[in-house]
Amino acid sequence: MSGYSRIPLSVLDLAPIADGSSPAEAIRRSIELARVAEGAGYRRFWLAEHHFVSVASSSTATLIALIAAATQRIRVGSAAVQLGHHTPASVVEAFGTIDAVHPGRLDLGLGRSGQRRTEAIATVRTGGTVTRSEPERVVDGLLIPRAFPVETLLASPRIAAAAQALEFEGAAPQDFADAVADVLALLSGSYRVDGIALHAVPGEGADVDVWVFGSSKGQSAQVAGTEGLPFVANYHVSPATVLEAVEAYRAAFRPSGRLDRPYVVVSADVVVADNDAAARELASTYGHWVHSIRAGGGAAPYPDPASTPPLTTEQCAVVDDRIRTQFVGSPSAVADGLDTLAHATGADELVITSVTHDFEARKRSHQLLAAEWGVTREKAQPTDTIS
């Protein structure tokens, strides 16, 4: 893109379990992929937290510790810890433990998925509407599709059962703003309960960068802004709301001891191969995988293109927004698409996730993109307020 200087690139790994594989193999592959990402010069390697589905990153802090031990330089972190399922104290102690052995390399990403899901389910059960219906549009070349209606998904008995299993009976998630404030207080040593000072050991004073992840202009964006924290907007999950999320964060931002200006990372789902046709084949079951999630069953084992029939017309309609906002093709084609995403959102950094059934193809996807983007080890080192 003429006149546009490329920004840092990082990796978000979902630790997917491929059809015919196992959780143990998925974990080993995530560790190997982290080594590949470090060698290619990516800035960060983040792990997503998911439960009761065919991904192997449910115990995110544990996997982060394993990956930090298997790498040397790359920053490792969560994308994101679901605070609705963890207490701030348990999160800070876990990351403080890892930081004690691998100091200065951790990104503690925080998300309100648990609280958001609980609130949305309650809204749906009382006949309310969660999804706003707005027309599809293109902004500075970036597709902003209509939002996927989540009401049917949230009404799924399986979703409700999973949420129940992750919470103590009768407990309600702590308000996200309060939970983030508690995390910051525990790290800084200013945490108090009823006037009594409590100190996270380990955890207090840990050299950990705190991030907030969000998919809309709601509480996550507001909290990230008012606390002066960096913000990650999820184009790969909620492409319809990425621009409003980024705008809300910037509007709410207040300088802090951590940041003197807003810092935005935007996520993207990519598949890169030597040519467009090969990439399209590798990505041909992505829609099936997304459909397994949106149908209420949770992420299924990632399907093999060689043995998976095409989606039906009805199934395609359910995942259309995600398929059309995935960046698939040759290295130059995907890099051009990511340039457009960065330009339209004003991102300071991009984080990419790439899932294929063939693990060797997934590693190569990351390597090809890094080479095309111009990522180097030198560029992957800290260059700004955000390390």
Side-chain angles (χ1 to χ4, degrees), residues 221-232:
Q222 299 296 323
V223 169
T226 57
E227 291 286 359
L229 296 170
F231 181 64
V232 185

Side-chain angles (χ1 to χ4, degrees), residues 269-289:
D269 203 299
V270 312
V271 174
V272 185
D274 291 316
N275 55 67
D276 291 348
R280 285 194 296 268
E281 175 62 20
L282 290 171
S284 61
T285 51
Y286 174 73
H288 299 72
W289 193 58

Side-chain angles (χ1 to χ4, degrees), residues 105-129:
R105 290 181 55 201
L106 295 188
D107 292 330
L108 172 51
L110 304 174
R112 67 184 296 268
S113 298
Q115 179 184 342
R116 181 169 180 260
R117 187 181 303 111
T118 299
E119 292 170 350
I121 289 173
T123 298
V124 170
R125 286 177 174 171
T126 57
T129 301

Side-chain angles (χ1 to χ4, degrees), residues 53-276:
V53 294
S54 292
V55 299
S57 55
S58 55
S59 183
T60 315
T62 305
L63 187 51
I64 288 170
L66 293 171
I67 288 173
T71 54
Q72 296 179 330
R73 297 173 303 276
I74 195 168
R75 294 190 67 86
V76 186
S78 54
V81 170
Q82 298 181 18
L83 281 180
H85 306 320
H86 308 272
T87 65
S90 68
V91 172
V92 171
E93 289 169 348
F95 277 74
T97 300
I98 304 169
D99 178 73
V101 182
H102 306 285
R105 290 181 55 201
L106 295 188
D107 292 330
L108 172 51
L110 304 174
R112 67 184 296 268
S113 298
Q115 179 184 342
R116 181 169 180 260
R117 187 181 303 111
T118 299
E119 292 170 350
I121 289 173
T123 298
V124 170
R125 286 177 174 171
T126 57
T129 301
V130 177
T131 307
R132 300 189 318 278
S133 180
E134 297 183 358
E136 179 177 303
R137 65 196 192 281
V138 175
V139 178
D140 292 335
L142 181 70
L143 174 62
I144 305 296
R146 296 187 66 170
F148 169 73
V150 299
E151 283 77 10
T152 301
L153 175 60
L154 290 170
S156 162
R158 188 185 181 284
I159 296 293
Q164 182 178 341
L166 292 166
E167 299 171 0
F168 286 107
E169 185 176 357
Q174 183 181 11
D175 180 77
F176 183 67
D178 294 338
V180 172
D182 284 351
V183 167
L184 297 175
L186 285 158
L187 287 168
S188 69
S190 60
Y191 184 68
R192 301 286 188 276
V193 175
D194 295 333
I196 299 172
L198 297 177
H199 301 278
V201 183
E204 185 175 312
D207 188 6
V208 173
D209 283 350
V210 179
W211 298 68
V212 173
F213 286 66
S215 57
S216 72
K217 63 181 180 181
Q219 190 181 26
S220 295
Q222 299 296 323
V223 169
T226 57
E227 291 286 359
L229 296 170
F231 181 64
V232 185
N234 298 325
Y235 184 72
H236 84 284
V237 171
S238 183
T241 56
V242 65
L243 294 181
E244 65 179 46
V246 170
E247 181 181 357
Y249 163 66
R250 291 194 175 110
F253 185 82
R254 299 174 186 168
S256 69
R258 294 166 290 273
L259 281 179
D260 59 6
R261 62 177 180 83
Y263 193 94
V264 173
V265 178
V266 177
S267 66
D269 203 299
V270 312
V271 174
V272 185
D274 291 316
N275 55 67
D276 291 348

